[in-house]
Amino acid sequence: MAGTNSERQLLAEGPAIILVEPQMGENIGMVARAMANFGLAELRLVNPRDGWPNEKALATASKADHVIEATKVYDTLEQAVADLNFVYATTARERDGYKPVRSPVIAAETLRARFRAGEGTGILFGRERWGLTNEEVALADEIVTFPVNPAFASLNIAQAVLLMSYEWMKSGMEDLGAVPFQAMGQTPSTKEQLFGLFDQLEEALDARGYFHPAGKKPKMIDNLRAVLSRRAFTEQEISVLRGVISSLDRFSRKSPRGGRFPTATKETPPDDSADA
């Protein structure tokens, strides 16, 4: 979905996303993109395998340059979380220990509340192949886990970050049913416009022998009108349908648009103004 707009407000707040020993620059770039999609901007890397900065990360970040450029790198996880007040560890596996385990919704609400209170917060994500160690999970305050297929629980690191980033964004919305834009307003058609569609379509069908046998024509017209009047058309929709019918009237399969005009209209090319 393309939707980058440099003229609109850029959200850049919330918990730090901490990747522990990420292996591939491409995955880091996709993480940055997921963060930027949902207003997160602070990315921390612990001992990335291929070093930093990483050209592949920048290439796959898809213009999330503000995240990539501000990325901080640490030698150890202890250093990466030292200034934070509260940290979640993400894991799909059951762990030994007594840490509370939260759903993404509850975790995001907790992070939002602590963020508003001025606390430093973070979310830990483990290595692409095997996640976080028990010792690393022990450095977190609580665990967050996703409701996934128990027989196929492994998530790509960028997918995991995307899910948590999405829940973070939702936790700040006053109305979860709100959307960033609405469908373009359209004017309901008048009955006169609908009757015009009926007349045009019936005339076109009659000319092609559609109403056969003749004795069934009234019933066929009733059925046709019932179909077309089942829902309220807009003016724009009426215009589209009438344009289609006009095109079918003017051009046959043997004389398609772009070829020669039909014999009957050779001298006077058809007016396209009715086409939608």
Side-chain angles (χ1 to χ4, degrees):
M1 295 173 64
T4 303
N5 188 339
S6 60
E7 297 180 358
R8 304 189 69 175
Q9 178 189 6
L10 177 67
L11 300 177
E13 58 180 20
I17 298 298
I18 306 163
L19 307 185
V20 179
E21 297 185 354
Q23 296 173 301
M24 299 177 64
E26 293 90 338
N27 285 340
I28 298 173
M30 288 187 286
V31 164
R33 179 178 184 178
M35 293 170 60
N37 284 151
F38 297 104
L40 297 175
E42 187 177 354
L43 177 60
R44 302 184 180 189
L45 307 179
V46 177
N47 192 25
R49 184 190 67 181
D50 296 336
W52 195 260
N54 186 297
E55 292 184 2
K56 291 181 179 179
L58 183 61
T60 54
S62 298
K63 297 185 179 180
D65 297 353
H66 63 290
V67 178
I68 294 294
E69 291 169 0
T71 298
K72 297 178 182 178
V73 179
Y74 300 84
D75 293 328
T76 66
L77 179 55
E78 287 83 355
Q79 293 173 351
V81 301
D83 63 326
L84 302 179
N85 303 104
F86 187 88
V87 176
Y88 272 109
T90 60
T91 180
R93 301 196 309 271
E94 187 172 349
R95 304 280 183 158
D96 295 331
Y98 301 95
K99 293 187 182 299
V101 181
R102 309 297 187 192
S103 71
V105 173
I106 299 302
E109 290 174 351
T110 301
L111 290 168
R112 179 70 64 173
R114 290 180 175 274
F115 169 76
R116 287 172 175 164
E119 294 185 23
T121 59
I123 312 172
L124 305 183
F125 295 86
R127 301 153 189 83
E128 289 93 329
R129 294 184 62 186
W130 44 279
L132 296 166
T133 66
N134 288 335
E135 292 76 16
E136 290 161 347
V137 171
L139 296 179
D141 297 278
E142 295 182 358
I143 289 172
V144 58
T145 192
F146 303 101
V148 293
N149 183 348
F152 196 77
S154 177
L155 288 173
N156 173 279
I157 189 171
Q159 293 174 324
V161 172
L162 181 72
L163 289 174
M164 279 306 303
S165 300
Y166 173 61
E167 292 299 339
W168 163 260
M169 175 66 84
K170 283 171 53 182
S171 71
M173 296 174 61
E174 294 182 3
D175 178 7
L176 291 181
V179 291
F181 59 87
Q182 296 289 340
M184 183 182 299
Q186 297 190 28
T187 306
S189 65
T190 64
K191 293 301 181 184
E192 182 180 13
Q193 291 168 327
L194 186 59
F195 297 156
L197 173 63
F198 291 162
D199 292 342
Q200 183 183 6
L201 180 57
E202 288 162 16
E203 181 182 3
L205 292 174
D206 202 17
R208 291 162 174 78
Y210 175 80
F211 300 112
H212 180 80
K216 292 186 177 181
K217 180 177 178 179
K219 181 60 176 177
M220 295 173 75
I221 288 178
D222 286 344
N223 290 341
L224 183 62
R225 292 192 175 195
V227 170
L228 294 174
S229 60
R230 182 171 295 175
R231 59 178 294 274
F233 284 103
T234 65
E235 289 184 353
Q236 292 86 343
E237 290 167 337
I238 292 287
S239 178
V240 168
L241 290 174
R242 297 199 65 170
V244 169
I245 297 167
S246 294
S247 181
L248 293 175
D249 261 345
R250 291 195 300 268
F251 301 96
S252 69
R253 292 186 180 183
K254 292 183 179 180
S255 302
R257 187 170 190 157
R260 65 181 183 84
F261 290 114
T263 303
T265 58
K266 248 185 195 179
E267 295 161 5
T268 308
D271 177 12
D272 287 337
S273 61
D275 289 84

